[in-house]
Amino acid sequence: MKLIIKNLKKNFDKKEVLKNINFEFEKGKIYGLLGRNGAGKTTLFNCLNEDLPIDDGEFFLKDKEVRKIEAEDIGYVLSTPNVPEFLTGREFLKFFIEINKDRIKDEKTIDEYFDFMKIEKEDRDKLLKDYSHGMKNKMQMLVNIIANPSILLFDEPLTSLDIVVQEEMKQMLKSIKKDHIIIFSTHIMELALDLCDEIVILNKGILEKIDKNDLDNTKFKDKIIEALKEE
Amino acid sequence: MIQTFITSFKLKNTYRVNSIIYSIKGFPIINKILPNSLYKNKALKIFGNIISILWEIVSTFLWKGLYVWLVLGSMTFAYNTNQVNTFLHIFVFSTLIGGILNTYLLNPTKDKYYAIILMNMNANTFALTNYFYSMLKLIIGLMPFTIIFGLLLKVPLLICISMPLFVAMIKIIVIGIFSIPDFKKNKVVKNENLPTKKVWILLAALAILGFGLPYLGIVINQIIYIVLFLISIILGIIALKEIIAFKDYKKIYKVLLTNENVYAVQNANSTQNIRANIAKNIEYDGEITSDKSGFAYFHELFVKRHSKLLTKSVKKQTMVIILIFIILFIVVFINPSMKEGLNSIPLTYLPYFVFIMYILNRGTTITQAMFMNCDHSMLTYRIYRTPKIILGVFKERLKTLITLNLLPSVAIELGLMILLYITGGTNNMLNYLILFVSINAMSIFFSVHYLVMYYLLQPYNINTEVKSSTYPVVQAITYFICYYMINIRMTTFVFGIATIIFSILYSLISLILVYKLAPKTFKIRI
Ligand SMILES: Nc1ncnc2c1ncn2[C@@H]1O[C@H](COP(=O)(O)OP(=O)(O)O)[C@@H](O)[C@H]1O
Ligand SMILES: [Mg+2]
C-alpha cells in the first residue's frame, strides 16, 4: 500500500508554507520527516488529516486500486498529548475498542494493551487527569494504534519523553511497522537516524528524500544538514 | 522621561489596536471580504486607532461617571439622613476602599508586564510617568461628575472640586506611606487584586461603616470632610515625595508582575481559568461506572463525573423554584386580596418567563464543560470526528441536556398552574395546557439552541482560546432577545401558542442543520 501526495499546496495568507509536495510513502517503512522549526511539518500533517483545507493538489491511498483516505485510515498523534481527563486509562481504552470493534483484527484484552504499552498496573485505573505527560503520550499513541489505521502520523512525539520511554516507544514502533505507513516528524536528527528507514526533508515548502546510499553515518548527517541549510 | 512615556503609550495602543483587529478578524464574513494580510491593512489600522483613542477618552469619563452616579448619587437617597452629609460620607468610605483596591501604580496589568518585563523599559520612568498620567486622568475624569452631582445635591462648589483631589491623595498615600515602606522593609508587594484576609476584613469594615452607619443616622459632616481632606493633602505630599524618591520600581515590578498576577487580573474570565475551574469539577471515587457501551458509555461517565456541574446544580435550582412557589401560595392563603394581582402572572406574564428560562438554562456552562473536559482532547482523534460518532454523541448529549433542564421547568409550570388555580382560575381551560406545554417548549428550545450553536460554531482552538466572534455575538443576541421579552405583555393563550410553534420549528430546523453540517463544523479551530 502507498500514500501518494501529488502537487499539494498550502498557503497561509501570502505565505507559501507547502509549495509543491510530491511524494510516495510505502507501507512497512518508518519515514523520518526532518525540518527546521516552522518548516511546515505540522501543517503537512494537518492537511493530510483534513484539519486544514488544501489549496491545490491531491493525496490518496493506492493499494491494488486507488481510493480516497477515510477517517478510519489515519491515526494522528499530536505533539502535545490530549486525553479526556474525566476517564480512567481503562475506560478510555474500553471506549476506543468499542467504537472500533469492526476494525480491530485480533482484539486483545485491555490489560494486554496496557502491557504492550508498558503502563503500570497501578496506573490503569487512575483518572487520565492524574497521568504524567509521558503516560498521556503513551495512551494517545495506543488508542491511535488500536484502531489499526493504515497511516500513522506522529508529530514530534518522542521529543518530550524521557530516554527510557523513548527507547520503549522506538521498539514499539519498530514492532508494528510492517502493517503501517508510519511518518514521524522531528527536528532531532539522531532520533530520525536511529529509528527511521527513510529520511525525508521538508525545506522551503518542498519534500525530498535524502538517500543514504553507502555513506557512513557522519557523512549522511552532513548531507542532511547541507540539505536543511540550502537556500 | 517624556520619550519613555510616549513609547509606553504607543505600546499600549498597538496592543489595543491589535486586539481590536483580532476580534474583527474573528467574523468569518468580514474575514472573507477583507484582504488576508489584515494586520497590515492601513484602513483597518486607522479604524482600530480611532476606536482605541475613543476608548481612552470614554474610559477616562465613563467609569467615573457611573461610579459617581450609581454609588454616590443613588445610594445617597437610600437613607433618611442629610443628603449632602450622606453624599460625603459614602464618598469618603468608598474612596478609602477604592484606594486600597486599585492604586494604579501597583496594579499588575498586562501593559506593565509587556513594557517592564518583556521590553525591559526603564522601570522608574515608566512607573512614574504612567502613574502621573493616570492620576491626572483620574482627577480630570472625576471632576465634571463630582461638580454636576454635587451641585445638584447642593454641595458647596469648593468641596465638589476638592473631591477628585481627595481620591488621588488617598491612592497616593496608600502607596507612599504603606506599600513602598513595606517593600523596603519586607521585600514583599501584595497583589491588590487578590487581597489577603486581613485586607478583606479591613475592606468589609470600611464598607459597613460607609453604607451601614447612615442607616443608624450617623454620617460625617462638611467640617469633618474638610479636616480629612486637609490631612490627606499633608500626608499625600509626604507620600508623593516618597514615591518620587523611590528608585527600585524594577524590583517591585519583578516581584509583582509574575505571570499569575498578571493573569489573575486580565483573565479572570480567561479560558485558561475557566478550564482550570472546570477541570477541578471532575469527581471520581472509583464507584462511578457505567454498564452501557460505546458512546453511550462514554457520555454517561461524563455526566456522572460532572454531577456537581450538571445534575446537582439543576436540583438546587428546582428546590429554589419550589420554595418560591410555596411562599407565593402561603401569601395567597394569608392575604386573599393578593389573588387578583397574582392571577395575572400565569395569564399575562408568560413572555417574562422566556427570560427566566434563559437565566435558568445551564446550556452555556454545560457546553463549556463538554469542550474543556472532553471534546478539547477527543476532537484531536480523527475517529471521534466521523459523522457516526459525532451525531451519536450529539444525540446522547441532547437527551441529557433536555432532561436536565426540564426538571426546573416542570417545577415552574406546575407552580404556575397551581397558582392560576388558587388565585381564581381562568375561563379558558386551554390555558392550563398551554402553560404546561409552552414552558416545556421554551426549556427544550434553549437546550437545543445551546447545543446546536456549540456544534455548529465550536469557537475554541487547541489552546482553548475563542477563535470565533460569531459565537459570542450569537450569545449576546440571544441574551438581548430574551431580555427584550420582559417588556412584552401578551395573553398566555396567544404567546404560549406562538412559543410552542416557534420552538418546534426552530428545533426541527436546527437539528437538520446539525445532521447536515456538524461533521464539518464540529472540530478544533486552527
Ligand atoms: N493557522 C495558521 N495561520 C497562519 N500561519 C500558520 C498557521 N499555522 C502555521 N502557520 C505558519 O506556517 C509555518 C509552518 O508552521 P508549522 O507547520 O507549525 O511548522 P513546524 O511544525 O515544521 O514547526 C509557520 O511559519 C507558521 O507560522
Ligand atoms: Mg510543529
Side-chain angles (χ1 to χ4, degrees), chain A residues 13 49-51 71 78 82-84 86-88 91 94-96 98-100 125 127 140 143-144, chain B residues 36 282 284 293-295 297-298 301-302 305-306 373 376-378 380-383 385-386 389 523 526:
Chain A
D13 298 351
N49 197 37
E50 291 177 39
D51 291 333
L78 286 86
N82 283 293
V83 289
F86 67 97
L87 294 179
T88 65
E91 290 161 349
K94 175 169 149 43
F95 171 59
F96 257 90
E98 279 169 1
I99 59 175
N100 285 301
D125 293 293
L127 281 189
Q140 197 187 355
V143 295
N144 271 297
Chain B
N36 275 323
I282 299 176
Y284 180 62
S293 74
F295 40 72
Y297 168 78
F298 177 75
L301 284 176
F302 178 84
R305 300 250 159 95
H306 293 83
N373 278 1
H376 170 248
S377 47
M378 290 310 290
T380 61
Y381 300 92
R382 186 72 186 267
I383 186 97
R385 275 171 22 213
T386 47
I389 309 260
K523 54 160 99 175
I526 292 193

Side-chain angles (χ1 to χ4, degrees), chain B residues 228-294:
Chain B
L228 287 176
F229 176 69
L230 291 177
I231 294 175
S232 83
I233 294 284
I234 295 168
L235 288 179
I237 290 173
I238 298 172
L240 207 52
K241 271 192 176 157
E242 183 76 12
I243 291 175
I244 296 174
F246 186 69
K247 285 286 169 273
D248 268 339
Y249 284 104
K250 181 111 197 173
K251 279 191 194 148
I252 282 206
Y253 283 131
K254 274 256 164 80
V255 179
L256 189 67
L257 295 175
T258 59
N259 242 330
E260 282 160 53
N261 280 347
V262 176
Y263 269 83
V265 210
Q266 297 275 330
N267 292 349
N269 283 318
S270 81
T271 42
Q272 273 99 339
N273 269 332
I274 296 176
R275 198 165 165 222
N277 270 335
I278 292 182
K280 267 189 233 135
N281 272 305
I282 299 176
E283 303 146 53
Y284 180 62
D285 57 7
E287 302 268 292
I288 304 172
T289 47
S290 160
D291 42 18
K292 298 193 169 144
S293 74

Side-chain angles (χ1 to χ4, degrees), chain B residues 364-405:
Chain B
T364 316
T365 324
I366 295 176
T367 50
Q368 221 166 33
M370 282 171 180
F371 182 77
M372 301 293 176
N373 278 1
C374 180
D375 299 336
H376 170 248
S377 47
M378 290 310 290
L379 280 173
T380 61
Y381 300 92
R382 186 72 186 267
I383 186 97
Y384 188 73
R385 275 171 22 213
T386 47
K388 192 178 129 219
I389 309 260
I390 285 198
L391 298 176
V393 176
F394 175 83
K395 234 194 289 178
E396 294 293 324
R397 288 179 168 176
L398 190 63
K399 274 192 260 171
T400 309
L401 211 56
I402 289 179
T403 331
L404 279 178
N405 285 311

Side-chain angles (χ1 to χ4, degrees), chain B residues 221-483:
Chain B
N221 58 28
Q222 294 186 25
I223 308 280
I224 298 181
Y225 171 74
I226 291 170
V227 172
L228 287 176
F229 176 69
L230 291 177
I231 294 175
S232 83
I233 294 284
I234 295 168
L235 288 179
I237 290 173
I238 298 172
L240 207 52
K241 271 192 176 157
E242 183 76 12
I243 291 175
I244 296 174
F246 186 69
K247 285 286 169 273
D248 268 339
Y249 284 104
K250 181 111 197 173
K251 279 191 194 148
I252 282 206
Y253 283 131
K254 274 256 164 80
V255 179
L256 189 67
L257 295 175
T258 59
N259 242 330
E260 282 160 53
N261 280 347
V262 176
Y263 269 83
V265 210
Q266 297 275 330
N267 292 349
N269 283 318
S270 81
T271 42
Q272 273 99 339
N273 269 332
I274 296 176
R275 198 165 165 222
N277 270 335
I278 292 182
K280 267 189 233 135
N281 272 305
I282 299 176
E283 303 146 53
Y284 180 62
D285 57 7
E287 302 268 292
I288 304 172
T289 47
S290 160
D291 42 18
K292 298 193 169 144
S293 74
F295 40 72
Y297 168 78
F298 177 75
H299 175 70
E300 186 168 275
L301 284 176
F302 178 84
V303 174
K304 287 186 172 169
R305 300 250 159 95
H306 293 83
S307 71
K308 224 187 289 166
L309 222 55
L310 306 170
T311 6
K312 284 185 191 148
S313 69
V314 167
K315 280 185 187 152
K316 251 188 240 157
Q317 276 185 355
T318 314
M319 299 303 259
V320 173
I321 291 166
I322 292 176
L323 200 73
I324 291 175
F325 274 109
I326 290 179
I327 293 173
L328 276 178
F329 299 156
I330 294 174
V331 166
V332 173
F333 192 69
I334 297 174
N335 187 354
S337 67
M338 299 279 287
K339 272 188 186 173
E340 203 176 325
L342 286 175
N343 187 261
S344 69
I345 292 183
L347 285 181
T348 49
Y349 277 77
L350 196 58
Y352 205 105
F353 282 87
V354 175
F355 190 66
I356 292 180
M357 296 313 292
Y358 167 83
I359 303 257
L360 288 178
N361 197 284
R362 310 263 310 144
T364 316
T365 324
I366 295 176
T367 50
Q368 221 166 33
M370 282 171 180
F371 182 77
M372 301 293 176
N373 278 1
C374 180
D375 299 336
H376 170 248
S377 47
M378 290 310 290
L379 280 173
T380 61
Y381 300 92
R382 186 72 186 267
I383 186 97
Y384 188 73
R385 275 171 22 213
T386 47
K388 192 178 129 219
I389 309 260
I390 285 198
L391 298 176
V393 176
F394 175 83
K395 234 194 289 178
E396 294 293 324
R397 288 179 168 176
L398 190 63
K399 274 192 260 171
T400 309
L401 211 56
I402 289 179
T403 331
L404 279 178
N405 285 311
L406 272 182
L407 195 64
S409 62
V410 166
I412 289 185
E413 66 218 12
L414 289 181
L416 284 178
M417 285 158 72
I418 298 174
L419 190 69
L420 181 59
Y421 183 74
I422 62 174
T423 54
T426 159
N427 41 25
N428 187 351
M429 293 312 262
L430 256 174
N431 275 331
Y432 287 104
L433 185 67
I434 290 175
L435 265 183
F436 185 81
V437 180
S438 68
I439 299 240
N440 280 338
M442 283 179 210
S443 166
I444 293 173
F445 159 76
F446 281 116
S447 301
V448 172
H449 176 66
Y450 282 117
L451 199 62
V452 166
M453 283 307 123
Y454 173 51
Y455 269 75
L456 293 183
L457 298 173
Q458 197 301 101
Y460 301 102
N461 71 0
I462 190 87
N463 301 321
T464 62
E465 298 158 333
V466 174
K467 276 282 170 184
S468 143
S469 303
T470 321
Y471 187 73
V473 166
V474 171
Q475 286 197 316
I477 291 175
T478 312
Y479 172 81
F480 280 115
I481 292 178
C482 296
Y483 187 74

Side-chain angles (χ1 to χ4, degrees), chain A residues 12 15 17 36-43, chain B residues 526:
Chain A
F12 288 116
K15 183 173 181 168
V17 177
R36 305 176 64 172
N37 287 324
K41 303 181 291 291
T42 306
T43 306
Chain B
I526 292 193

Side-chain angles (χ1 to χ4, degrees), chain B residues 135-155:
Chain B
M135 285 301 116
L136 202 67
K137 249 175 71 170
L138 176 76
I139 294 172
I140 293 175
L142 261 179
M143 192 76 78
F145 300 105
T146 52
I147 292 182
I148 294 170
F149 281 94
L151 289 183
L152 281 176
L153 288 170
K154 307 227 163 35
V155 179

